[in-house]
Amino acid sequence: MAVQWILVLHGLATLLVVISFLCGHWPIFHGTPIAGFHDFLTFGAYDYFLRFVGVVCGDRGTNAVLSVERYCCDRPNPTLQVIYLAIIGVTYYIVAKSCFMYIPGYYLSGVHRYTSFLAVAVGLLLFLWTSFSDPGTVNAENVQRYISAYPYDNIIYSEKECSTCKIPKPARSKHCSVCNRCVARFDHHCGWMNNCIGEKNMHCFMAFLFW
């Protein structure tokens, strides 16, 4: 019975974190603890951490943390990819080490050992596919094709030139300051994928999130 209550509390805590992180900025939660928890998760915790480092280590420590942040978040590098793969690998190892001894059991057949591995393998495949696929890089050779595919509406999108790439910017494209390239139907730069998410890899990114 105690284990069941632990699982219930764990589930509720996870739900609170997910809702606060993803939805805490919605107007419906304004002035509620969920909004406060959202601010803490997204900004407050890191700000308190920087203050703590500044008190303990001074400006040198704060600058070191900010340098790591810039390296991980403001330039292409595989750090977050390695961290993600380590999290998945260690978690799967712990689950396999602690739970596989009960499979097969009263509720589960032996096939669950293999389906769990398949589930992790598919997730990793989608992760790597998204990470190393072309998001839809716009360059001088293909820019006219993208302009034809995404015409300007002169309301939200008007004809303009990318000041960095020195080529016309198709509608819905954006220059990624991290990757230093223009991306068609740009959505965002994903640090965990070490790649932009755009026209050509949005489908595999959504498949990864869904999986």
Side-chain angles (χ1 to χ4, degrees):
M1 192 58 132
V3 174
Q4 292 175 343
W5 277 109
I6 290 174
L7 292 175
V8 169
L9 292 174
H10 179 270
L12 291 175
T14 302
L15 184 64
L16 174 64
V17 170
V18 171
I19 291 177
S20 299
F21 185 74
L22 298 179
C23 311
H25 62 288
W26 290 3
I28 192 175
F29 294 117
H30 182 69
T32 66
I34 289 180
F37 196 36
H38 169 81
D39 292 339
F40 176 77
L41 289 175
T42 53
F43 300 105
Y46 184 62
D47 185 52
Y48 285 128
F49 173 70
L50 280 179
R51 293 182 187 180
F52 174 78
V53 172
V55 170
V56 175
C57 304
D59 291 340
R60 181 174 296 182
T62 303
N63 292 334
V65 173
L66 293 175
S67 297
V68 172
E69 177 194 351
R70 284 191 292 270
Y71 176 77
C72 292
C73 302
D74 296 338
R75 55 186 290 190
N77 68 86
T79 304
L80 293 179
Q81 287 175 298
V82 173
I83 291 175
Y84 174 79
L85 293 174
I87 290 172
I88 295 299
V90 171
T91 301
Y92 184 75
Y93 174 79
I94 292 173
V95 170
K97 194 74 173 175
S98 59
C99 300
F100 276 17
M101 66 180 71
Y102 302 108
I103 303 175
Y106 184 77
Y107 295 104
L108 298 174
S109 64
V111 72
H112 283 80
R113 286 176 175 242
Y114 308 104
T115 54
S116 65
F117 177 79
L118 178 64
V120 174
V122 171
L124 290 177
L125 179 63
L126 291 172
F127 174 79
L128 295 173
W129 183 19
T130 308
S131 295
F132 295 103
S133 59
D134 176 23
T137 303
V138 181
N139 51 45
E141 287 73 32
N142 61 20
V143 64
Q144 291 302 323
R145 178 170 62 84
Y146 280 116
I147 290 176
S148 299
Y150 302 101
Y152 306 112
D153 59 7
N154 293 317
I155 300 174
I156 299 177
Y157 304 105
S158 57
E159 186 174 356
K160 61 180 66 175
E161 182 182 83
C162 174
S163 59
T164 304
C165 298
K166 303 301 180 183
I167 59 174
K169 290 183 64 175
R172 302 179 66 184
S173 69
K174 186 177 184 296
H175 184 87
C176 177
S177 60
V178 179
C179 294
N180 194 30
R181 61 183 171 182
C182 283
V183 177
R185 214 172 76 200
F186 181 88
D187 186 79
H188 71 288
H189 178 88
C190 182
W192 293 102
M193 301 289 182
N194 193 28
N195 198 6
C196 293
I197 306 301
E199 181 199 49
K200 289 188 175 181
N201 63 354
M202 176 63 75
H203 59 291
C204 48
F205 178 72
M206 295 303 298
F208 169 76
L209 293 182
F210 177 79
W211 190 261

